[in-house]
Amino acid sequence: MRFRKIWKAALFLSFSVIFFSCGISQKSTILSGNTSGNLANGGILVGDGDTIYFNHFGDHNKLYKMDQSGDGLIPVSDEIAYSLNISGDFLYFLCGTENNAIVKMKKDGSERSVLSNEKALSLQCSGDFLYFISMGEETNPDKTFTLHRMNKSGEEVTRILDDKIQQFFVSENRLYYIRQEDRSLYVSDQDGKDPVKLHDGSVINFILYEDKIYFVDGAEDKNQLFVMDRDGKDLKRLTEEKLSSFHISNEVIYYGNTTEKASMLELKKMNLDGSSKEVLEEIPVISILSHDSWLCLLSMDFSSFSIKETLRDTETEKEMVFEYVNPPAESALAVYDAGAEVTVDQLKVKVQDVYVTNILKNEDPNYESTIFDSVTDGAFVFLTINAENLGEEPLELYETLGHILDINEAYPSIYWYTFYEVEEEILSGEKKYAMPASFLQTMVLQPRESKTLQLYVELYDVGNPIYLYIKDPVNPNSINALEVNLPEYVRVHSFESALKLIEKTFPGNEIILQNGIGFLKPGTEEEAMFYAFEVRNKELSSPEYYFVERDTGEIYIGEPDPSFPDFTAVPKELWQKP
């Protein structure tokens, strides 16, 4: 084992940021303790007439309030409050300093009481009830990510949905939610009965504004913004761009743009129909909230994990900027050699196997074509480990095991693994990994329990070795890293690498990327995946077509074929270098 000193930022931010965020302005007619968008952002801001309550990032994220003019800035409570709701004279929120307990408190900070010590993920006050997503109990992991309801005294707790969900909002006696299993958007009555699917699959999040639902579709990792009626009809796409966050205030959509053309994240705005797009400023915005004319922008410095909070009045242009900076702490980095059995506090970990590929074959019988396979320019990494709880208390593994993105950074950041149980016999097969219908973000080891797990991550900047992070709850400033050597593996071509191959093979020509097609390999009965390109030579009157076979990198000459009218061209014969 090797030790060296580094400077490390705290890995846990003192409030819960939902990285892809959304919001609506207080103009919405929703009868709720806060707007759906503010709650989706973590609910660190809520408005009450001419008073705004918010987390003050310049004062350790304490709860503050100010008036509509931006004056009268005073503290309300020393605690970290998010999922903020207001009903009558009381604030309801999740307390980040008390393991996400549900708290009730008067708006002046008095008469504080804990309604539930159960760890919650999000909270909404609607009518006479409080709705919340439970993070489960160590003795009952099936409760994790399920929706519950109780009265405002913390009594009459009822489970509303058996499905695990990632976002919800109650509006006009209807419950809207995203189900984790299929990432589809549903609506039911407020008791969770009679569910109807509004949009099928890949929904990252949604907001309600007036009579519409705005949502981000993450299909093919595009993160594009769509809008539809609340019954799921009249679906329209509003952006081609990839979004990092969005919000609607006073009939204007504000959003973070992450297209490759941007030197960094941009804050943009557009009309509700997607017209009149305009860049406002370059800022790495991760969350946008609002009340009346005030916007709250959260932006992050990913090198130090410091967060800047900008409160801006869009009418007067008055602006206040606060910043939370993770204080660096000198810490020992313990690196364990590959193959070692590592014990950190009550958790013992040993890596049994590692499998690396840049292609995941689609095994759904309804989508057998090779065009449905997933290919990355990075790598899909599957670590099979044995994890054993040596202690006498249950142990939650999520946010305990992660991947260190760059072990040499002064502020090493952690990507938390998703994982699942795996049968031992999978390791003796050719594939050596399992792809469940849905990955887990919770896994509890009971006292003295041992499990074989597979940890999954997609890496874009792949080094060798990589490092498995093991959190030490007793010494949070320490970093324990288990070295993992990646085996050699055969890479298939992605769109990007195929484009580079064509550019190198036909320099000086205009090259247009067309699409990917599954087609019979010329001269065989074997289906293969091809990337199609149109190559325009200035000396030729008509374009030429070439195809790169994904698995081999071989180039084929393509020609139009009337037998396949849906394709501009199809692969015909292997290209030979002149």
Side-chain angles (χ1 to χ4, degrees):
M1 185 174 68
R2 309 186 294 276
F3 288 92
R4 64 186 175 89
K5 293 286 186 177
I6 65 169
W7 287 89
K8 183 182 82 70
L11 298 174
F12 175 71
L13 296 177
S14 56
F15 78 107
S16 175
V17 174
I18 296 177
F19 186 78
F20 194 104
S21 56
C22 63
I24 61 177
S25 75
Q26 200 73 18
K27 183 177 179 179
S28 170
T29 58
I30 296 168
L31 180 60
S32 172
N34 202 344
T35 63
S36 67
N38 283 347
L39 293 176
N41 269 316
I44 62 166
L45 178 147
V46 65
D48 181 32
D50 291 333
T51 305
I52 301 173
Y53 297 82
F54 66 98
N55 278 0
H56 190 311
F57 279 73
D59 190 11
H60 306 285
N61 297 357
K62 296 177 182 178
L63 181 61
Y64 270 65
K65 69 178 180 180
M66 68 178 186
D67 58 37
Q68 181 68 26
S69 66
D71 299 325
L73 185 65
I74 59 173
V76 177
S77 172
D78 288 344
E79 56 201 324
I80 300 167
Y82 59 97
S83 280
L84 278 163
N85 286 259
I86 290 179
S87 179
D89 295 330
F90 286 91
L91 292 165
Y92 299 84
F93 58 88
L94 304 182
C95 181
T97 48
E98 289 189 34
N99 200 33
N100 293 16
I102 300 175
V103 172
K104 175 182 180 180
M105 181 176 69
K106 274 203 165 182
K107 290 185 286 188
D108 62 3
S110 65
E111 297 186 27
R112 181 188 186 278
S113 62
V114 175
L115 299 182
S116 172
N117 283 308
E118 181 172 338
K119 185 177 182 180
L121 178 65
S122 60
L123 173 73
Q124 182 197 355
C125 176
S126 180
D128 296 328
F129 294 98
L130 300 175
Y131 293 79
F132 64 96
I133 297 178
S134 171
M135 287 300 289
E137 301 166 342
E138 293 176 338
T139 57
N140 185 15
D142 290 338
K143 197 175 181 181
T144 306
F145 297 113
T146 55
L147 184 64
H148 298 256
R149 181 177 67 197
M150 63 184 179
N151 63 29
K152 292 180 182 178
S153 298
E155 301 170 338
E156 301 177 9
V157 180
T158 304
R159 184 164 172 167
I160 300 299
L161 292 173
D162 290 328
D163 291 325
K164 296 182 184 295
I165 64 173
Q166 67 188 52
Q167 185 191 351
F168 78 94
F169 196 75
V170 180
S171 172
E172 298 174 358
N173 299 320
R174 306 289 285 168
L175 169 63
Y176 299 82
Y177 61 95
I178 301 173
R179 197 172 70 158
Q180 280 193 4
E181 182 178 357
D182 57 3
R183 294 177 62 192
S184 295
L185 180 60
Y186 290 81
V187 64
S188 69
D189 66 21
Q190 62 185 355
D191 297 320
K193 297 178 181 178
D194 302 322
V196 176
K197 184 184 292 187
L198 297 178
H199 186 76
D200 190 17
S202 300
V203 180
I204 295 179
N205 63 0
F206 68 92
I207 68 173
L208 304 178
Y209 187 79
E210 296 177 347
D211 59 348
K212 302 288 186 181
I213 304 176
Y214 294 77
F215 68 95
V216 174
D217 191 307
E220 300 179 2
D221 197 33
K222 291 183 178 179
N223 290 12
Q224 295 174 332
L225 183 62
F226 288 77
V227 63
M228 63 183 177
D229 295 338
R230 291 203 184 190
D231 59 3
K233 298 179 180 178
D234 196 21
L235 178 68
K236 296 177 182 177
R237 182 172 59 189
L238 297 181
T239 67
E240 296 281 350
E241 301 150 298
K242 185 174 183 179
L243 273 65
S244 65
S245 56
F246 82 102
H247 190 88
I248 305 176
S249 178
N250 298 318
E251 300 188 356
V252 176
I253 300 175
Y254 297 88
Y255 63 102
N257 167 40
T258 61
T259 62
E260 294 180 358
K261 295 180 180 179
S263 58
M264 62 183 295
L265 295 182
E266 295 174 329
L267 175 64
K268 303 179 74 173
K269 71 175 183 178
M270 62 182 173
N271 295 331
L272 292 178
D273 61 1
S275 64
S276 302
K277 293 180 175 65
E278 178 185 349
V279 177
L280 298 178
E281 60 181 306
E282 286 194 344
I283 179 175
V285 60
I286 58 172
S287 294
I288 310 170
L289 304 92
S290 73
H291 175 67
D292 285 348
S293 60
W294 283 89
L295 289 180
C296 176
L297 308 173
L298 296 185
S299 57
M300 177 175 283
D301 182 342
F302 289 97
S303 64
S304 63
F305 282 90
S306 62
I307 299 179
K308 182 180 291 185
E309 177 183 38
T310 303
L311 294 170
R312 181 181 300 160
D313 189 335
T314 56
E315 291 182 353
T316 65
E317 296 301 320
K318 182 173 182 176
E319 183 172 290
M320 292 176 286
V321 178
F322 310 113
E323 188 167 7
Y324 172 81
V325 179
N326 267 309
E330 192 173 6
S331 169
L333 170 67
V335 179
Y336 299 86
D337 294 330
E341 188 173 76
V342 179
T343 300
V344 178
D345 193 38
Q346 67 187 69
L347 175 63
K348 183 167 71 173
V349 174
K350 182 177 175 61
V351 175
Q352 293 182 230
D353 188 77
V354 56
Y355 181 82
V356 188
T357 181
N358 78 321
I359 179 172
L360 299 180
K361 298 282 188 177
N362 192 302
E363 298 177 351
D364 188 329
N366 297 315
Y367 299 93
E368 293 180 346
S369 174
T370 56
I371 64 172
F372 295 106
D373 296 339
S374 296
V375 178
T376 178
D377 289 312
F380 302 111
V381 179
F382 297 86
L383 296 181
T384 303
I385 69 167
N386 181 265
E388 182 178 358
N389 182 0
L390 303 176
E392 302 299 330
E393 298 293 333
L395 178 63
E396 169 62 71
L397 293 184
Y398 185 62
E399 293 192 359
T400 297
L401 300 173
H403 174 74
I404 298 180
L405 297 182
D406 187 347
I407 201 168
N408 295 312
E409 282 189 354
Y411 297 92
S413 53
I414 305 299
Y415 183 102
W416 301 115
Y417 280 103
T418 50
F419 43 82
Y420 46 90
E421 283 193 80
V422 65
E423 301 294 334
E424 293 278 359
E425 51 264 28
I426 194 73
L427 302 180
S428 60
E430 179 181 348
K431 191 172 68 170
K432 292 190 177 182
Y433 70 89
M435 288 292 286
S438 61
F439 294 102
L440 300 177
Q441 290 187 318
T442 181
M443 178 70 70
V444 176
L445 283 181
Q446 298 301 326
R448 305 297 176 180
E449 184 180 21
S450 176
K451 287 184 178 181
T452 299
L453 305 173
Q454 211 159 58
L455 282 63
Y456 164 76
V457 66
E458 181 180 357
L459 302 178
Y460 296 97
D461 185 11
V462 187
N464 197 4
I466 62 174
Y467 295 90
L468 171 65
Y469 167 77
I470 307 171
K471 182 179 180 180
D472 186 346
V474 178
N475 301 298
N477 287 330
S478 67
I479 295 181
N480 300 275
L482 179 57
E483 186 176 275
V484 179
N485 293 314
L486 300 182
E488 294 184 0
Y489 64 101
V490 177
R491 294 180 61 85
V492 303
H493 278 278
S494 64
F495 264 118
E496 183 175 343
S497 63
L499 175 60
K500 291 179 180 178
L501 178 61
I502 291 292
E503 289 174 338
K504 181 179 179 181
T505 305
F506 304 101
N509 294 289
E510 180 185 1
I511 297 173
I512 302 173
L513 174 63
Q514 292 196 319
N515 53 19
I517 65 171
F519 203 79
L520 291 181
K521 191 171 180 177
T524 73
E525 295 298 318
E526 174 189 356
E527 186 190 63
M529 174 66 186
F530 296 89
Y531 301 118
F533 297 90
E534 180 180 320
V535 178
R536 294 181 175 271
N537 189 321
K538 295 180 180 179
E539 299 179 358
L540 300 178
S541 57
S542 58
E544 297 177 318
Y545 300 96
Y546 294 93
F547 292 79
V548 176
E549 186 184 349
R550 181 194 66 192
D551 293 355
T552 65
E554 294 179 321
I555 299 176
Y556 285 80
I557 299 172
E559 295 178 2
D561 189 328
S563 301
F564 303 97
D566 293 336
F567 299 132
T568 305
V570 296
K572 289 293 186 179
E573 61 179 286
L574 188 65
W575 175 81
Q576 301 290 337
K577 185 175 181 180

